[in-house]
Amino acid sequence: MHRRSFSSALFLSALVGFSGQALAMDVPELSGIREVFSAAVPAKYQVVLSPEMQAAETAAIKSYPEVQALQAPEFLVVVNRHPNVQSMSVVITDGKTVEFIGSAKVSTGHLNRKLYFQTPVGIFENKREFGNYRAEGTKNENGVRGLGRKGMRVFDFGWQDSVASWGTRGNASIRLQMHATDPDLLESRLGTPASKGCVRIQTGVNAFIDQYGVLDKNYVGSDTEAPGWVVSKIKKMDKYDGRYMVVMEQAPAAVVPVPTASATAQ
């Protein structure tokens, strides 16, 4: 895993690429995949990123050697942990071009609360040995389904360096995961920092990532070869299986919710 800040030159380079100067990838299903994401995620949880924010996220993605080394298009998740943004995007990239599929609200690490940690910045690989699993849908002592409803996929990125924002405050280590949250009690908090360090995502986003192989590249193989069983039995696509999540922090540049039907009518 690498941590990296990106320079103004990289940002400008990404902005040029985003404006259409870069060579397009051969992804004929692109518009269809975008439609599926839009249909899977309720409008109140979707966000629209400004061109400037897309360019910043593109620069962050393309700054990592792991991405630069890609030989073919694959899915990737990028998360902006800035407290005033709190968004994630599913993209397809071949290391040269980045195409955005859709964006939605998330919750990353809540600061200044006991037993809560900062979500680390960097590029993280969903490796097979980390062992993804599925939520059982059980409730904790507070009546909360912390990993979402039964069957939701828990994506594991292993132990990572973090910062504790409570007690003695300082360096810490957390098991970095991306997972759904309680659809009845906690999904409404998405869009604000609220997790213990993991990346919380909406139920529809979880299902899309699961069924479209967004983080499956290291999990393909025999169903009997642990943990291959965790791959969705109703998987819709494997052509662009990905493996990486990039977490960055970029101040808001006009990130807004998707207009609802009632708002559009006013």
Side-chain angles (χ1 to χ4, degrees):
M1 186 277 295
H2 297 86
R3 290 186 177 84
R4 177 167 303 200
S5 60
F6 52 93
S7 65
S8 298
L10 274 171
F11 177 87
L12 291 173
S13 174
L15 190 59
V16 170
F18 178 72
S19 66
Q21 298 302 314
L23 293 176
M25 291 181 292
D26 182 18
V27 185
E29 307 91 345
L30 190 59
S31 61
I33 299 171
R34 285 172 172 155
E35 290 176 2
V36 171
F37 183 95
S38 180
V41 183
K44 66 180 179 179
Y45 293 112
Q46 294 185 47
V47 296
V48 177
L49 303 182
S50 68
E52 293 80 11
M53 183 62 82
Q54 287 200 17
E57 294 193 359
T58 295
I61 292 166
K62 293 168 66 175
S63 70
Y64 290 102
E66 295 92 334
V67 175
Q68 296 166 11
L70 295 179
Q71 300 298 309
E74 65 179 65
F75 284 116
L76 180 147
V77 173
V78 57
V79 175
N80 189 338
R81 75 173 188 184
H82 192 284
N84 295 330
V85 179
Q86 292 290 289
S87 71
M88 61 78 66
S89 299
V90 176
V91 306
I92 295 181
T93 181
D94 60 358
K96 304 177 183 64
T97 303
V98 176
E99 292 284 357
F100 283 73
I101 301 302
S103 304
K105 298 176 182 179
V106 298
S107 286
T108 61
H110 188 294
L111 300 182
N112 302 315
R113 186 174 177 182
K114 188 176 181 179
L115 301 180
Y116 282 64
F117 302 85
Q118 186 176 54
T119 303
V121 167
I123 186 167
F124 308 96
E125 185 172 359
N126 183 33
K127 295 182 179 180
R128 191 181 182 95
E129 57 264 33
F130 294 155
N132 287 198
Y133 59 98
R134 292 189 179 274
E136 295 182 353
T138 53
K139 296 180 179 180
N140 62 19
E141 64 275 12
N142 298 314
V144 174
R145 292 176 289 177
L147 300 177
R149 62 176 175 78
K150 185 176 181 179
M152 290 287 96
R153 181 99 166 256
V154 179
F155 302 93
D156 198 311
F157 298 90
W159 289 100
Q160 302 296 343
D161 294 335
S162 178
V163 175
S165 61
W166 51 277
T168 57
R169 299 173 182 269
N171 296 334
S173 183
I174 66 169
R175 191 75 181 192
L176 181 61
Q177 297 177 332
M178 180 173 66
H179 57 76
T181 190
D182 194 307
D184 301 317
L185 300 177
L186 296 181
E187 275 196 356
S188 61
R189 298 185 187 179
L190 293 175
T192 61
S195 82
K196 291 185 175 181
C198 292
V199 178
R200 292 182 185 172
I201 55 177
Q202 195 271 333
T203 300
V205 174
N206 188 287
F208 176 88
I209 293 173
D210 184 23
Q211 295 173 21
Y212 277 78
V214 174
L215 292 169
D216 274 359
K217 198 170 190 72
N218 293 324
Y219 283 78
V220 295
S222 170
D223 286 346
T224 60
E225 183 186 350
W229 64 268
V230 78
V231 175
S232 176
K233 297 298 187 294
I234 55 171
K235 189 171 178 179
K236 306 293 197 305
M237 175 178 284
D238 58 14
K239 184 176 179 179
Y240 305 111
D241 280 2
R243 70 197 106 165
Y244 296 118
M245 175 177 71
V246 169
V247 180
M248 58 177 288
E249 182 168 336
Q250 173 69 30
V255 53
V256 297
V258 172
T260 61
S262 59
T264 304
Q266 292 176 354

